[in-house]
Amino acid sequence: MRPLLKIMAVLLLVFLSIFLAGQLFGILTIDKVQSLLETARQIDPAYIFGAVVILLLLDIILSVPTLATTLLAGYFLGFPLGATAAFTGLTLAMLVGYGLSRQYGHRAIGVLIKDETERAQMAEAFARNGPAMIMLARAAPMVPEVTACMAGVTRMPLLRYLTFFALGTVPYVGIAAYAGSVSTWDDPQPAIFTALGLYAILWVGWFLYQRREKRNKRLNPFP
């Protein structure tokens, strides 16, 4: 498990650095995302769908505010079109992370973890814990990108990864986009309460998962 945590910590540090740089230089903040979608609507409402997809595709490298963008997608496009746009963009972003990591990630892993046995342990640990991590990844920023990269590095079958990704992401974007569709600038409460509720549910899921893992380790300390 330690090699897995080491690689995930490095990936988190990389994505965190990108996020902080984006905040420092004002790249794709919530206000800028809203402004971009407003501009797209003024040019042609049909462009909003493409703008949402592109914004969320960029999430793999620029740490776009995912939940806010999904809420805005619901507001501008309605439901279910906003959910479809958000899911499309997020899926493309994760596929880019998965594909690049599968193709080139082994080189970085070889530098960070030189021992072949530890690399095998890392892959085994992610195969065991990865599905839950992927499904609950939306509980925190940058974790979805990390799990996509880990799935690629450890060569998790693409269909298996997409299955767990969809199980965690479809309800997330569906609920968020619907909340955005029934919210207005004068009454943003549905969006606000939905955002808080989504994070609460995901964090409870993480808590229950960690509790189960600790119980399993006590019952079976030598897997």
Side-chain angles (χ1 to χ4, degrees):
M1 190 69 174
R2 185 174 297 175
L4 174 63
L5 294 176
K6 177 180 179 180
I7 296 300
M8 292 187 70
V10 171
L11 286 170
L12 276 172
L13 182 61
V14 170
F15 285 115
L16 179 60
S17 300
I18 294 172
F19 171 76
L20 292 176
Q23 293 298 305
L24 179 63
F25 294 104
I27 302 172
L28 293 181
T29 60
I30 294 176
D31 289 339
K32 288 198 173 182
V33 169
Q34 179 185 333
S35 178
L36 284 168
L37 295 180
E38 285 280 10
T39 302
R41 180 168 65 175
Q42 291 170 7
I43 297 172
D44 188 335
Y47 289 174
I48 299 175
F49 188 98
V52 170
V53 172
I54 292 171
L55 283 168
L56 292 175
L57 170 58
L58 292 174
D59 184 50
I60 194 65
I61 55 172
L62 294 179
S63 294
V64 175
T66 303
L67 181 55
T69 304
T70 305
L71 289 165
L72 287 169
Y75 173 78
F76 284 109
L77 292 171
F79 183 85
L81 194 58
T84 303
F87 183 73
T88 301
L90 291 174
T91 302
L92 290 175
M94 297 306 105
L95 285 174
V96 169
Y98 174 94
L100 290 175
S101 299
R102 187 181 179 95
Q103 186 70 24
Y104 304 108
H106 63 283
R107 299 176 185 175
I109 296 298
V111 173
L112 294 169
I113 303 178
K114 300 186 182 299
D115 186 85
E116 188 174 344
T117 301
E118 288 190 355
R119 291 199 295 269
Q121 291 174 348
M122 177 201 69
E124 181 184 351
F126 189 77
R128 185 172 62 252
N129 299 285
M133 292 180 178
I134 294 166
M135 285 189 291
L136 297 171
R138 296 289 162 192
M142 295 167 281
V143 176
E145 292 88 341
V146 170
T147 55
C149 292
M150 288 303 306
V153 164
T154 59
R155 296 187 175 274
M156 175 183 282
L158 179 58
L159 183 59
R160 178 176 170 82
Y161 168 70
L162 287 176
T163 298
F164 293 117
F165 168 79
L167 287 172
T169 305
V170 169
Y172 176 90
V173 299
I175 294 170
Y178 177 77
S181 72
V182 298
S183 300
T184 64
W185 297 126
D186 295 327
D187 181 23
Q189 288 188 2
I192 294 171
F193 289 144
T194 297
L196 294 173
L198 280 172
Y199 281 124
I201 291 169
L202 288 168
W203 275 107
V204 168
W206 267 117
F207 172 77
L208 294 175
Y209 171 71
Q210 292 295 328
R211 186 176 179 181
R212 191 195 70 176
E213 285 298 297
K214 289 179 180 178
R215 184 173 66 249
N216 289 341
K217 286 181 180 178
R218 287 198 302 268
L219 295 175
N220 186 21
F222 305 106

